[in-house]
Amino acid sequence: MAETRREGAQCGEHFQKKRIKYSPEEEAKLERQHFWRIIDAFRFYRLHVQEQIKRAELQFWSLSQRHQALLPGVLPKLARVKECAKHNQEILEAIVHNSLHMFENVEYGDRQEDPRKVRSSSTFDMDKLKSTIKQFARDWSEAGQAERDTCYRPIVQEIQRLFPMDQYDVSKVSVLVPGAGLGRLAWEIAQLGYMCQGNEWSFFMLFSSNFVLNRCEEVNSLTLYPWIHQFSNNKKSSDQTRPIRFPDVNPQSLPPSSDFSMVAGDFVEVYNDPESWDCVATCFFIDTAHNVLDYVDTIWKILKPGGVWINLGPLLYHFENMANELSIELSYEDIRTAIVKLGFLIEVEKESMQTTYTENDRSMLRYVYDCVFFVARKPNELYFNGQDDERQRNYSPAAESSRQEYSNRLT
């Protein structure tokens, strides 16, 4: 089973980079409020979808009778969407039930109000929840296999190449996956025998990953309808209501000796121990930062000398154009320059790897990300004593000076 722990000061969905300093009591109160806000979003889901359906029905009834007669399949389709939403709500309720006491070291307490009361949620939170439902298709269904092959397989293959089983005791090779989402990439790495920890800060993802990793055992036993929220760009009405089944594997089938865990909290706040990880694997993650260089600094700090950073993803900066939020939008060229000046040695680099993200493969509108993939190594003294000519050629005194300056700042 995957251990889920909560670390760090806050596990918020949306926060200012320079937060006001709160007392421990105030911080705990805000944490409880946030926790229940996300629980409310899970519980409000069905009503939210019903509001969408009601609007579509009203639009249909506004048509002339002649036009209505030309569209005999519309109302039955909307009725089917309503049934699918009801089923999705049952899964979400199971996730909520499993999540109320998932953090052992945090006491959220029970509400004084009627627990059966459903509270409305913001459009922002509902969009997050609908995105989370699509994550089940990406991470834990057969429908997501092609997407996982393009996103996760290159990272896993690099880990196997860099830490081959015939040369390493892989159970002692530590791999960190920040932004782990529903945990499939981290689970795949742990299944190969590596010590792997996923890190996630979104309660939407944490609740859902805890459910699928620790409560789902029978393969393809559960059903979700992830595309019912998409009313545009459907070729067939049935495409909108088609199901996915999950999990496509038994998440609890890891070898008994596996060292696999999930840690909740902000990546930069949680991971402070210097030189503690052999590998950091980031997939569609670095653009979630307010300042991506904070991520780069943290990865440099926590990697052991000789450790590697494997990255795949685009630069769709999550806080761009968001009011009152710090957002530094850098080009890959700028990030690459900073990585090299800090001291990383880029060993593998592909500037065009195309993939999708929670794609509806039957939609008439599909997004393809032209991602960057790289492997960057934090050097150690072995690389600079003439034993590795290729890495010797990559070394520059300026980069080493920057690395030494940064190391001094850390200490």
Side-chain angles (χ1 to χ4, degrees), residues 293-333:
L293 297 184
D294 286 338
Y295 283 3
V296 176
D297 281 349
T298 300
I299 292 169
W300 174 273
K301 177 181 179 180
I302 66 177
L303 276 176
K304 298 175 183 178
V308 292
W309 172 18
I310 305 171
N311 175 77
L312 186 149
L315 293 172
L316 181 64
Y317 290 103
H318 287 207
F319 294 96
E320 184 177 5
N321 300 321
M322 191 174 287
N324 302 317
E325 293 289 350
L326 172 68
S327 181
I328 309 299
E329 295 98 27
L330 302 177
S331 68
Y332 173 65
E333 179 184 34

Side-chain angles (χ1 to χ4, degrees), residues 3-20:
E3 175 190 5
T4 303
R5 304 197 305 275
R6 184 195 177 281
E7 299 183 17
Q10 184 165 341
C11 192
E13 281 301 311
H14 176 79
F15 59 92
Q16 294 184 2
K17 186 60 182 175
K18 295 181 179 179
R19 290 198 294 266
I20 300 171

Side-chain angles (χ1 to χ4, degrees), residues 28-233:
K29 180 181 178 181
L30 290 171
E31 185 76 11
R32 284 193 299 271
Q33 290 174 346
H34 180 72
F35 177 90
W36 286 111
R37 194 191 95 206
I38 306 308
I39 293 294
D40 285 342
F42 275 78
R43 288 175 167 165
F44 183 66
Y45 167 81
R46 184 183 177 189
L47 291 179
H48 171 77
V49 177
Q50 286 178 340
E51 289 174 358
Q52 290 183 291
I53 297 168
K54 183 178 180 179
R55 177 183 178 276
E57 289 173 337
L58 290 173
Q59 298 283 5
F60 177 81
W61 289 118
S62 72
L63 299 176
S64 67
Q65 288 189 350
R66 185 174 69 85
H67 282 176
Q68 290 179 29
L70 294 174
L71 301 169
V74 170
L75 291 179
K77 189 276 293 279
L78 293 176
R80 174 63 179 153
V81 171
K82 190 179 296 185
E83 285 299 312
C84 294
K86 178 182 178 182
H87 180 86
N88 283 358
Q89 186 66 67
E90 292 172 358
I91 299 294
L92 297 179
E93 290 292 345
I95 293 172
V96 166
H97 178 75
N98 185 64
S99 303
L100 291 177
H101 305 289
M102 66 181 288
F103 297 121
E104 296 177 358
N105 62 331
V106 177
E107 180 55 58
Y108 290 108
D110 295 324
R111 282 180 167 169
Q112 300 301 317
E113 304 97 327
D114 184 349
R116 296 169 296 180
K117 182 179 179 181
V118 177
R119 298 161 186 83
S120 62
S121 294
S122 67
T123 300
F124 179 86
D125 283 343
M126 296 317 301
D127 286 345
K128 287 283 188 180
L129 180 56
K130 288 184 280 190
S131 177
T132 303
I133 292 172
K134 291 192 289 185
Q135 287 282 345
F136 279 92
R138 171 181 169 87
D139 265 18
W140 295 102
S141 80
E142 294 174 0
Q145 184 64 58
E147 197 166 278
R148 293 195 298 274
D149 286 345
T150 58
C151 289
Y152 298 165
R153 182 179 290 178
I155 293 173
V156 172
Q157 288 176 338
E158 278 301 311
I159 292 172
Q160 292 178 295
R161 181 184 69 84
L162 293 163
F163 304 100
M165 295 182 181
D166 60 348
Q167 298 179 31
Y168 288 82
D169 178 354
V170 296
S171 68
K172 293 182 172 59
V173 174
S174 56
V175 181
L176 175 63
V177 181
L182 297 195
R184 182 61 179 261
L185 174 58
W187 184 89
E188 294 280 0
I189 295 168
Q191 189 186 48
L192 294 171
Y194 297 92
M195 191 282 274
C196 191
Q197 184 171 99
N199 164 238
E200 182 55 57
W201 61 289
S202 163
F203 271 141
F204 289 103
M205 296 294 182
L206 288 165
F207 293 166
S208 301
S209 64
N210 188 49
F211 175 75
V212 73
L213 290 169
N214 291 324
R215 295 294 180 267
C216 298
E217 298 182 45
E218 188 176 343
V219 173
N220 289 333
S221 60
L222 299 173
T223 302
L224 276 171
Y225 299 89
W227 318 117
I228 61 171
H229 323 106
Q230 180 176 318
F231 285 82
S232 300
N233 289 307

